[in-house]
């Protein structure tokens, strides 16, 4: 009895790249291109029309105001103020998102009215701009005094 050894016969000519390898290399090239765009600008500071950059505030978050409110007690301690609770507004309503300086001024006025005469409310607010966060209001002075 003779042993028969079967050699694997390839359907591809020698020196050609298989379809699986071709797909892998195409995937890697596309993934590298997607990562290189933002990385080129953010990591290396390179701006080019060939590679697309990435911007956090493109449109939807632009001009939104991030605000926090505190009440100064008679002993001088600051206590966080919940604007929703103080104004009796739902947390998922209009008061959730402050979109302009005029809206912020309106919220401050409503809080001062609700807190009563002589209230000392401190407001820290910043606005999202294309160049980053811009300070709108600091807690250095009483927002109800003006």
């Amino acid at each position: 009895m003779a042993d028969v050894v079967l050699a694997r016969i390839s359907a591809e000519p020698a020196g050609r790249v298989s379809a699986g390898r071709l797909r892998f290399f195409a995937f890697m090239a596309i993934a590298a291109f997607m990562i290189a765009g933002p990385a080129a600008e953010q990591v290396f500071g390179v701006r080019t029309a060939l590679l697309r950059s990435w911007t956090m505030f493109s449109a939807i978050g632009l001009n939104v105001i991030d605000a926090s409110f505190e009440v100064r007690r008679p002993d001088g301690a600051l206590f966080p103020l919940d604007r929703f609770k103080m104004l009796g507004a739902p947390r998922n309503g209009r008061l959730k998102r402050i979109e302009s300086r005029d809206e912020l001024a309106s919220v401050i006025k409503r809080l001062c009215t609700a807190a009563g005469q002589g209230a000392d409310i401190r407001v820290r607010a910043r606005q999202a701009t294309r160049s980053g966060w811009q300070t709108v209001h600091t807690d250095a002075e009483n927002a109800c005094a003006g």
Side-chain angles (χ1 to χ4, degrees):
M1 255 192 151
D3 289 332
V4 178
V5 178
L6 296 175
R8 183 172 172 228
I9 299 173
S10 175
E12 295 179 21
R16 298 215 58 196
V17 180
S18 71
R21 284 186 186 228
L22 190 60
R23 282 192 301 269
F24 173 75
F25 287 127
F27 170 78
M28 293 305 288
I30 291 169
F33 181 75
M34 289 171 60
I35 293 170
E41 184 175 344
Q42 294 179 8
V43 177
F44 304 111
V46 175
R47 275 191 159 235
T48 176
L50 181 64
L51 297 174
R52 189 176 167 148
S53 65
W54 181 80
T55 306
M56 182 159 178
F57 294 111
S58 148
I60 200 163
L62 213 52
N63 296 325
V64 170
I65 294 179
D66 172 36
S68 65
F69 305 90
E70 295 176 316
V71 174
R72 185 177 294 273
R73 293 186 174 171
D75 65 355
L78 290 173
F79 182 75
L81 181 128
D82 184 348
R83 67 182 183 250
F84 303 103
K85 194 174 194 179
M86 187 153 190
L87 297 176
R91 291 194 180 275
N92 60 352
R94 182 75 181 116
L95 194 57
K96 180 178 180 178
R97 187 172 163 124
I98 301 172
E99 296 185 12
S100 69
R101 292 175 187 227
D102 291 338
E103 281 186 41
L104 177 63
S106 172
V107 170
I108 292 171
K109 185 177 178 182
R110 289 172 55 198
L111 286 171
C112 291
T113 301
Q117 187 75 353
D120 187 352
I121 296 178
R122 305 295 169 131
V123 180
R124 251 178 285 146
R126 61 188 185 161
Q127 188 171 27
T129 64
R130 290 203 186 279
S131 59
W133 288 104
Q134 182 181 46
T135 301
V136 174
H137 215 288
T138 65
D139 61 353
E141 55 188 51
N142 182 0
C144 298

